[in-house]
Every structure is written in structure tokens, then in C-alpha cells.
Amino acid sequence: MSTVLIVVALVVVFVAVVAAVLCAGPGRAGGRRGRGLKRRFGPEYERTVARHDGDTKAAERELAERVRLHGDLRPQPLSREARERYVALWAGLQEQFVDAPRQAVSEADRLLARLAEDRGFPAASAYEEQVAALSVHHAEHVDGYRRVHRTAHMDGRDPHMGTEELRAAMVEARRLFERLVTEHSEDHARHAPRRQAERGRRVHAPWPKGSGA
């Protein structure tokens, strides 16, 4: 084989190796990013992929952007008084649900928006941005907020929605409410176990009889 052919063959091999490295590198990085996003977002990852019609790359770009925008957010603590006020308001909504389920769901939607804003998340008036930020920090429970918000805004457009669907929306939304109202509250570490247990019973109070729960 002539020297020219040997040189050409070596160049071809070199180009092939470089191309393989360039293709494999981003793929591995993308794979690592995808696994990291799956761990961080859990079921929210799958919901986002489904919303993008199975386009994993588009979903991961969206989730990565949420982390970029809201990952450094540090939720603000609630004062003891604010926490107790929110707990009392939610308990009142559960009682109200018996006689006026649609109104209770609508007010629960507004209550969650105000609570999230008080915890330092984006303003209640910016629903999509607020939900995006909540999904970064409460990925396991944020869909409950979406559900109650969607249900609250279906009033009049879906007259066949029954009490059971409304109750399910409230129960799911309560999971996010409990996280927001109890996590890192200002008085979290300063009060006796007896007081903490009492507040825990109030937050996790069962649905009243006749609510369909």
C-alpha cells in the first residue's frame, strides 16, 4: 500500500473516531440530565412528557428551564399566626364542602394561590409561573393544585361534574396545602411536641360526614 493510501486511511479513521466521540458525548450528558430530572420531578416528569405527546427531549428542556428559573428559590417561613390562620381556613372549606362543594373548590384554589405567594413563590396572579416554581420544589404534590384550579374554572362548563370528582380534587390539593403550611414554618423547632401534635391533628383533620369522603 502506498504512503498516500496509508495517510488517507489514517485520516478517515481519525475523522470517524472524532465523530463518534462528539456524538456519544452529548448523548451521555443528555442521558445523565434525563435521569437527574426523573429523580427530581418524579411523576411530574411523566406528566410533562405526556403533555409533549411523548417528546422526551422537549419535556426535559421545559423541566430544565423550570429548574434554571426557580431552582434557587428559597421558600419563606410562615409565622405561627399565619400558619394557624391558614389551617383554620382550610378546615372551614372542608366543612363548607358539605353544602357548597363547587364554591369550596373555588375558594381552595384561591387559598392555595395566596399561601404559595406568602411562602415566597411567584404571585398568585401569575398562575402558570407559580405552578412551574411549585413543581420544582413540590413535584410530588403540585398536580393537586393544577387539578383543583382546573376544577374551579370548569364551573358552568361541565354541569355534570359530580360531588365525587370535586371531593377528589380537594383531597389531592390538600396534600400540597399540608406541605406548604407545615414545611419550615417559623416556629417549627421552637414549640413543645404536644403543641406540634395538636397542630398536626388540625392539618390532617378528616373530611366531615356527608362530604362524600
Side-chain angles (χ1 to χ4, degrees):
M1 182 181 293
S2 68
T3 302
V4 173
L5 291 176
I6 293 174
V7 171
V8 170
L10 290 173
V11 169
V12 170
V13 171
F14 176 77
V15 170
V17 170
V18 169
V21 170
L22 290 176
C23 291
R28 287 195 298 269
R32 287 194 298 271
R33 184 180 76 166
R35 288 191 295 272
L37 290 170
K38 280 185 178 181
R39 285 193 299 271
R40 177 163 195 160
F41 284 95
E44 179 70 5
Y45 179 94
E46 302 302 333
R47 284 190 290 266
T48 307
V49 171
R51 196 168 62 253
H52 283 278
D53 298 322
D55 188 338
T56 302
K57 290 183 178 180
E60 290 178 355
R61 284 195 298 269
E62 179 185 328
L63 294 173
E65 180 66 5
R66 292 191 211 173
V67 174
R68 186 186 71 81
L69 292 173
H70 307 294
D72 292 334
L73 186 151
R74 293 293 176 264
Q76 300 299 309
L78 287 177
S79 68
R80 181 181 65 183
E81 292 77 12
R83 180 179 185 274
E84 291 179 344
R85 182 174 67 253
Y86 275 115
V87 169
L89 287 170
W90 190 271
L93 290 180
Q94 292 191 174
E95 295 290 343
Q96 180 184 0
F97 187 90
V98 177
D99 297 318
R102 288 185 180 275
Q103 184 178 347
V105 168
S106 294
E107 293 185 13
D109 174 45
R110 290 191 289 269
L111 183 64
L112 276 172
R114 292 200 308 271
L115 173 57
E117 184 174 349
D118 282 354
R119 290 303 312 273
F121 289 92
S125 57
Y127 168 74
E128 295 294 343
E129 184 182 1
Q130 190 181 69
V131 169
L134 285 167
S135 75
V136 174
H137 297 270
H138 297 284
E140 294 290 331
H141 306 290
V142 69
D143 204 52
Y145 181 22
R146 285 200 193 97
R147 186 172 179 181
V148 81
H149 182 82
R150 184 168 59 247
T151 304
H153 288 78
M154 289 175 71
D155 196 4
R157 286 180 289 169
D158 188 4
H160 301 294
M161 178 172 287
T163 301
E164 178 57 28
E165 287 84 356
L166 296 170
R167 184 203 66 82
M170 285 284 286
V171 169
E172 192 172 349
R174 186 174 69 175
R175 298 189 181 103
L176 177 63
F177 172 82
E178 290 171 353
R179 293 299 299 270
L180 289 174
V181 84
T182 60
E183 190 175 64
H184 306 308
S185 58
E186 185 180 282
D187 62 339
H188 181 73
R190 298 206 304 264
H191 294 275
R194 181 178 62 82
R195 181 175 293 180
Q196 292 286 0
E198 179 183 351
R199 290 179 185 167
R201 286 194 296 273
R202 291 174 65 190
V203 173
H204 296 278
W207 279 77
K209 291 182 180 180
S211 67

